[in-house]
Amino acid sequence: AVFTGKANCPYYAKAELLADYLQANLPDFRVHKITQHPDKWEQWLHDICETNGWEHRRSPIVWRELLDRGGRGLLLGGVNDFLEYAEHYYAITSKMLSEEMLDIAEENLQAHIENEKEEEEIRSLIKPLQIWITSASAPICYQLIPLLANGEVFGMTTEISIHLLDTDQFKEVLCGIVMEAEDMAFPLLRSISEHTAIDEAFIEADIIIILDDVLLNLEVQSLENYIREVSEICQVYAPLIEKNAKSEVRVISSGKTFVNLKAMMIMTYGPSIKPENVIAVATSWECAAKAMLARKLNMNASGVKDVIVWGNITGCNYIDLSHAKLYGYDCAIWGPANFPRPLLNVIYDSEWIHSEFLSAQSSLSSRVCHCVGMLPAHAVATALKYWYHGSPPGEIVSVGILTEGK
């Protein structure tokens, strides 16, 4: 049986003590007790009755759980209904005096307040990672949220709070994303919220993921104008990061265009932001190149490792295969699962590498830029996972960083 009532309700106290007596003396009688603060009782009672289709207006409310039958709870009623039930089935009733009921009700209220205070103190000790995502109406954000909230990126003991930032015109989209994420009830997602006021951006941020993109159409606007547009975005973001974010904030630049430039501009306009804490994500291009190589070799792309991206990630770049290795490749030479084969020793068609593969940089770029969100979301999640927990031992991962020296 489930007993719920206002913490300071004397009738709840009477029913509770009788239920405790029955549980102590009857082997198959089990009690689950829930108290609600008087200020929250009315709303809670309304919600539980609406959910179960019950009619009940007073404290306490008692019902039987029918979990073993796969059905919803069976409402028993209030204190008088429960007393009749106990007397009818077990020939036991309660003769508690009103004064005793009031004393126990007062004790229940104090105990409830103490428990709430203790739970709040415990929650306050668990400080979730504050993650801000800009241009959050983009499809990549929709794909990214489940990857961040399922525990695989930061660990199964790290809670997160996600803040979605975009302009007023996308407020409805952001609200929809927030509601959907809340409905999914991720256990590690402490909160998710939408923001359109730029002055409030990046407050207490631990991680900032910049997804802002410009859609290139050189027939409409010159490249210089697009670069100026990106620069203006970063001129707004960088001072806010310095002002509102934590000193050790980590900034990730992602997207389909000007990924390196955005990272560089954030550091330029935010000189107090630590350069080592700003990266540009190259994983999408890595993955696309690995997939192309895997198709050539008729193998799973997960076995292609250490493909390196040099240069401007979303611009003029070079895919370096000099360190690339293959794991689990089906050929004449076999070894354990951790036995690698140098990729260039396996692909004997050097003409294919220098003609089709390396000349396919533009097609790789087009392939990545036409992704609807799944691949770039995976790229950001992977970069964060490796940044916080380290990449697989001995494996090379490409990211855009500020170079030191020549």
Side-chain angles (χ1 to χ4, degrees):
V2 180
F3 289 76
T4 302
K6 286 192 292 186
N8 64 343
C9 174
Y11 299 105
Y12 171 78
K14 186 172 185 175
E16 174 194 26
L17 286 187
L18 178 56
D20 287 342
Y21 178 83
L22 293 176
Q23 180 171 252
N25 291 277
L26 299 174
D28 296 325
F29 191 91
R30 295 289 179 269
V31 178
H32 179 61
K33 295 181 286 187
I34 306 171
T35 58
Q36 296 293 332
H37 194 280
D39 296 341
K40 300 177 181 178
W41 166 253
E42 294 296 335
Q43 185 62 50
W44 187 92
L45 180 62
H46 173 271
D47 293 343
I48 196 72
C49 288
E50 188 175 79
T51 300
N52 291 280
W54 296 335
E55 285 289 338
H56 191 84
R57 304 186 187 282
R58 295 183 178 180
S59 172
I61 179 172
V62 184
W63 71 87
R64 289 179 59 204
E65 290 285 8
L66 302 178
L67 299 179
D68 56 330
R69 303 183 192 178
R72 65 184 182 184
L74 174 65
L75 179 65
L76 297 180
V79 62
N80 291 331
D81 301 296
F82 177 63
L83 292 176
E84 290 176 11
Y85 173 86
E87 188 169 13
H88 177 74
Y89 283 96
Y90 308 115
I92 298 173
T93 188
S94 173
K95 296 182 180 180
M96 184 185 296
L97 300 176
S98 298
E99 191 174 327
E100 293 177 281
M101 292 163 56
L102 291 170
D103 289 342
I104 294 174
E106 181 62 28
E107 290 176 9
N108 282 343
L109 178 59
Q110 293 304 318
H112 180 84
I113 293 172
E114 288 295 323
N115 287 338
E116 281 192 331
K117 184 179 178 181
E118 185 177 335
E119 289 174 5
E120 183 60 35
E121 288 176 352
I122 292 172
R123 281 195 295 269
S124 69
L125 295 174
I126 305 172
K127 297 187 181 299
L129 279 175
Q130 302 294 326
I131 303 172
W132 284 78
I133 304 175
T134 72
S135 194
S137 62
I140 175 177
C141 179
Y142 187 81
Q143 302 279 354
L144 179 60
I145 289 171
L147 300 179
L148 298 177
N150 66 12
E152 292 186 13
V153 173
F154 303 107
M156 297 305 296
T157 59
T158 302
E159 290 190 350
I160 63 173
S161 288
I162 296 177
H163 306 267
L164 308 179
L165 178 66
D166 216 315
T167 58
D168 275 327
Q169 71 181 103
F170 295 108
K171 184 174 179 62
E172 190 173 334
V173 176
L174 299 186
C175 290
I177 296 173
V178 167
M179 285 192 292
E180 196 165 343
E182 289 174 340
D183 289 345
M184 294 181 74
F186 294 105
L188 296 174
L189 183 59
R190 173 77 71 86
S191 64
I192 181 168
S193 56
E194 78 280 352
H195 303 265
T196 55
I198 190 64
D199 292 342
E200 300 173 3
F202 314 130
I203 292 176
E204 291 298 303
D206 293 292
I207 298 165
I208 298 171
I209 302 169
I210 297 176
L211 302 182
D212 297 73
D213 261 324
V214 293
L215 300 176
L216 294 179
N217 187 342
L218 297 179
E219 295 178 1
V220 175
Q221 196 174 168
S222 68
L223 182 61
E224 288 75 13
N225 285 338
Y226 284 119
I227 291 174
R228 188 177 299 110
E229 188 177 331
V230 173
S231 178
E232 289 171 355
I233 292 170
C234 295
Q235 284 184 62
V236 173
Y237 286 164
L240 288 170
I241 294 172
E242 289 185 301
K243 177 184 174 184
N244 295 336
K246 293 179 182 175
S247 60
E248 294 293 329
V249 63
R250 301 186 185 193
V251 182
I252 288 186
S253 171
S254 182
K256 300 176 181 179
T257 55
F258 301 112
V259 174
N260 288 47
L261 179 63
K262 286 184 288 186
M264 188 66 203
M265 291 295 98
I266 289 294
M267 288 184 277
T268 301
Y269 297 120
S272 69
I273 302 170
K274 295 183 177 180
E276 63 269 23
N277 282 1
V278 181
I279 67 170
V281 175
T283 316
S284 295
W285 276 259
E286 263 190 45
C287 291
K290 289 175 180 178
M292 187 174 180
L293 293 164
R295 284 191 294 272
K296 172 69 174 176
L297 295 167
N298 193 28
M299 65 176 291
N300 193 312
S302 65
V304 183
K305 306 291 184 183
D306 298 346
V307 172
I308 303 172
V309 181
W310 292 104
N312 187 353
I313 294 169
T314 51
C316 182
N317 59 47
Y318 175 77
I319 306 297
D320 182 0
L321 303 181
S322 61
H323 295 83
K325 301 180 183 67
L326 304 177
Y327 292 84
Y329 178 59
D330 187 9
C331 63
I333 300 176
W334 283 77
N338 60 349
F339 173 69
R341 298 288 311 281
L343 180 141
L344 293 178
N345 289 357
V346 174
I347 297 183
Y348 297 105
D349 190 352
S350 59
E351 184 178 342
W352 177 86
I353 293 175
H354 291 95
S355 59
E356 288 188 44
F357 179 75
L358 293 180
S359 65
Q361 304 293 315
S362 59
S363 66
L364 280 179
S365 179
S366 175
R367 187 183 186 89
V368 171
C369 288
H370 283 86
C371 291
V372 294
M374 192 183 302
L375 177 59
H378 166 75
V380 171
T382 301
L384 274 171
K385 180 179 180 181
Y386 290 172
W387 203 354
Y388 271 81
H389 301 291
S391 59
E395 187 173 327
I396 299 173
V397 179
S398 297
V399 292
I401 60 170
L402 182 66
T403 57
E404 297 180 1
K406 295 182 180 179

